Amino acid sequence: SRPRSPGTGASNNNLECSLHSSHPSAPGAGPGVNNLECTLHSRFAGGSDHPPTQPAVPAVQDEIDRTLRHELAHLLAQWRAGRRRIAPHGEEWRQACCDLGIGGEARCHNLPFAAKIYAVRYVYTCPNCKEKFPRVRRIHRAIACLACCRKHNGGGFDPRFRLKLIR
């Protein structure tokens, strides 16, 4: 068995990224003109001639590939924006998704991870509509019932609808 180089594994999907920064005096280039090139291709990592012994389920592998592209789109969008603040799943991110081949990307994944269930330790109620809000952690700031704030205050915070701890 030959030793593997770091970063190689049983995965058969590779992601290669390279960042090209144009010099301001280059033809057609201006300040901040940069290119990030990413290429996804299938081949076995580490020069192995043998496929992985236990290949991933194709649907899960596709979801992992999409998740990696999703996260890369965040990096690309923020890199393009520089120091300017952008929305996490805003227009810049959607454009980066299109550039990475995942146009119409949703903001959540569908990987089959087991959800951990926590016991409810606190229950809050709205003094107006009496809706109950079970919580795992204690609320340490002023929180109001969103439905009542929308209905009676145009969506703005109103202390009349501040949640009260009942247990």
Side-chain angles (χ1 to χ4, degrees):
S1 169
R2 68 179 166 190
R4 290 185 174 197
S5 61
T8 61
S11 174
N12 61 355
N13 283 326
N14 294 319
L15 174 66
E16 292 180 1
C17 293
S18 59
L19 175 62
H20 305 286
S21 182
S22 301
H23 191 275
S25 64
V33 176
N34 297 307
N35 297 316
L36 178 66
E37 291 182 9
C38 295
T39 306
L40 284 164
H41 55 89
S42 293
R43 69 175 181 211
F44 296 114
S48 172
D49 298 331
H50 306 289
T53 54
Q54 295 180 351
V57 177
V60 173
Q61 190 66 35
D62 291 344
E63 186 67 27
I64 291 170
D65 174 64
R66 199 162 179 90
T67 301
L68 288 172
R69 289 181 191 223
H70 173 112
E71 296 305 327
L72 184 59
H74 284 293
L75 293 171
L76 178 59
Q78 189 58 61
W79 179 77
R80 286 176 175 169
R83 296 178 61 111
R84 183 173 51 92
R85 290 182 66 122
I86 61 172
H89 295 103
E91 185 59 38
E92 297 88 349
W93 176 80
R94 286 193 295 275
Q95 180 59 49
C97 284
C98 289
D99 295 345
L100 292 172
I102 54 170
E105 172 70 358
R107 63 179 193 89
C108 298
H109 68 79
N110 350 335
L111 290 172
F113 294 133
K116 191 168 184 179
I117 308 290
Y118 294 96
V120 172
R121 294 178 58 199
Y122 304 96
V123 178
Y124 292 85
T125 188
C126 171
N128 184 52
C129 67
K130 307 299 184 211
E131 181 73 28
K132 292 185 179 177
F133 299 90
R135 303 290 297 214
V136 173
R137 295 188 207 149
R138 187 177 200 103
I139 297 174
H140 294 286
R141 57 191 179 111
I143 302 287
C145 175
L146 180 60
C148 290
C149 286
R150 283 183 174 161
K151 184 176 181 180
H152 303 291
N153 198 33
F157 177 82
D158 190 327
R160 294 178 298 164
F161 311 122
R162 187 172 176 179
L163 300 183
K164 308 277 187 216
L165 179 64
I166 58 172
R167 73 173 164 118

